[in-house]
Amino acid sequence: MERNALLTAGAVGVVVVALVAAAVVPGVVADPTDDGPVRPGPVDVAGVSIAAGQATGETVTLEIETRIDHRGNPTENVSVLVRAVDAESGLLTTTQELDVGTLSKDGETAATTNLTVPREGGYDVEVVLYSDDERVDEARKSVRGVSAIKPPYLRSTTSFTDSEALPPVSFAIAETGEDRTTLDLTATLTNAGDDPAEELSVLFVLRQAESNIVASRTTVDAGTIEAGRTETVDASASVPNDYNYYIDAVLLRDGVVIDTARGAANLNPTRTISVNQTREDVELRVEDFENGDGGDAPRETGYEPTETSSAAPGFGPLVAVVGLLAAVFVARRWSK
């Protein structure tokens, strides 16, 4: 009995002390309704993805999506700083800041930022996450080959073929003359899209290999190329004999270059060229590439030839003999 009485007395004493402390010292027992400071929950960058947006001839827009992971208590004043750095020079190209606001739910939140950069080279995209103006996390991702992102007017499902069995540019000799040769040119196109390709044309340019002189230029309509079909476009060109030529084919749509291809025509039997061969010096007759017959006849200059003579008028052998005798006479007088 004494033991139970002591335990009971001790418990009562603890309760009395707690009640007295609560009454005398404010704040010892926390009020559950009291609005005290709450530590914000942690946030970090869960991932970064980059997509190609709108493009023009000079710029392209990169759509950067940042996934922000949040846990715990609400986190206020969350923001994302995104910047693009030129991968080659290391110079800062552009910067964009996005205010995310307050994150209260657990899980990931997507924040999308658009950066417009020049349509060339590559970029390192840096993402910095801030909470209440304090840097809490960062991530980095690279993108290369931005020039491959084409604006709408450059996009086409049709291009020149790329096959040894079916080369993009080929030729055949249609006719040969004393000074010039006529070539039948062929370009091979493939429409890899789901819709017919229309309003296309092909420009053929023949350049003398060593000098790069344009020997012939012609444009032909490519017609309509159905989806999934391969078609050929034919043209003819006349060029001077005994030279080698590069055949450049340019695919156009409404004056815009869509694709290009190159072939080679060896009309000089002593030299051959290929598409990737280094040029060499050869004897070149520029008059062969003049508009007209291209013959070897000399051009008229508009000036009449004049004749010159080394003899002066009014002087002859007699005057020369007299001059010699006079020189001898003077020399004898001076020697005496």
Side-chain angles (χ1 to χ4, degrees):
M1 292 295 294
E2 294 180 357
R3 182 178 180 181
N4 292 335
L6 291 174
L7 293 175
T8 302
V12 171
V14 171
V15 172
V16 170
V17 171
L19 292 175
V20 172
V24 175
V25 183
V28 172
V29 179
D31 185 357
T33 62
D34 186 16
D35 296 332
V38 178
R39 183 170 182 173
V43 290
D44 54 39
V45 179
V48 177
S49 60
I50 303 176
Q54 295 182 350
T56 66
E58 296 181 351
T59 63
V60 62
T61 299
L62 302 178
E63 298 177 354
I64 296 106
E65 182 184 77
T66 304
R67 306 289 300 185
I68 304 173
D69 184 51
H70 170 261
R71 293 287 184 273
N73 297 326
T75 304
E76 300 178 349
N77 299 326
V78 177
S79 62
V80 176
L81 176 67
V82 183
R83 53 193 177 193
V85 179
D86 189 280
E88 183 176 353
S89 65
L91 297 176
L92 179 64
T93 302
T94 184
T95 301
Q96 188 72 29
E97 187 172 2
L98 176 65
D99 184 13
V100 180
T102 300
L103 298 179
S104 56
K105 296 182 180 179
D106 289 352
E108 294 185 1
T109 300
T112 302
T113 310
N114 294 332
L115 292 182
T116 300
V117 296
R119 195 172 66 89
E120 59 183 8
Y123 299 91
D124 296 325
V125 177
E126 301 175 353
V127 177
V128 183
L129 180 63
Y130 290 89
S131 175
D132 201 13
D133 296 331
E134 180 181 354
R135 178 182 296 205
V136 294
D137 199 8
E138 62 183 53
R140 185 187 184 101
K141 198 163 188 178
S142 299
V143 58
R144 299 292 184 267
V146 175
S147 59
I149 305 174
K150 298 181 179 180
Y153 63 84
L154 287 179
R155 297 172 190 168
S156 176
T157 59
T158 305
S159 62
F160 291 104
T161 57
D162 185 13
S163 171
E164 294 183 359
L166 195 61
V169 181
S170 58
F171 77 97
I173 297 178
E175 183 180 357
T176 58
E178 182 178 354
D179 300 318
R180 302 181 72 83
T181 298
T182 300
L183 304 178
D184 285 339
L185 309 175
T186 300
T188 308
L189 302 172
T190 297
N191 181 6
D194 298 329
D195 299 315
E198 301 176 340
E199 300 180 355
L200 298 175
S201 61
V202 177
L203 168 65
F204 291 96
V205 180
L206 278 75
R207 304 176 186 272
Q208 202 273 332
E210 290 77 20
S211 67
N212 208 34
I213 294 177
V214 175
S216 178
R217 186 196 307 265
T218 183
T219 303
V220 292
D221 185 7
T224 299
I225 303 178
E226 298 296 333
R229 298 291 298 274
T230 298
E231 302 289 348
T232 58
V233 179
D234 300 319
S236 62
S238 177
V239 293
N241 296 338
D242 300 330
Y243 293 100
N244 296 327
Y245 299 92
Y246 289 117
I247 307 174
D248 291 324
V250 182
L251 179 62
L252 301 168
R253 183 180 62 195
D254 194 22
V256 178
V257 176
I258 303 300
D259 196 13
T260 60
R262 168 171 282 192
N266 294 297
L267 302 185
N268 185 346
T270 62
R271 294 182 176 87
T272 59
I273 62 170
S274 63
V275 173
N276 298 320
Q277 182 173 326
T278 303
R279 296 171 181 168
E280 59 176 322
D281 294 334
V282 298
E283 182 181 357
L284 177 69
R285 298 187 303 273
V286 178
E287 60 269 16
D288 289 347
F289 297 91
E290 293 177 348
N291 294 330
D293 297 335
D296 296 332
R299 294 181 296 174
E300 296 183 0
T301 62
Y303 299 95
E304 294 186 2
T306 58
E307 295 183 0
T308 59
S309 175
S310 60
F315 296 90
L318 180 59
V319 175
V321 173
V322 173
L324 179 61
L325 292 176
V328 172
F329 176 76
V330 173
R332 289 174 60 90
R333 290 293 302 271
W334 278 102
S335 63
K336 291 182 179 180

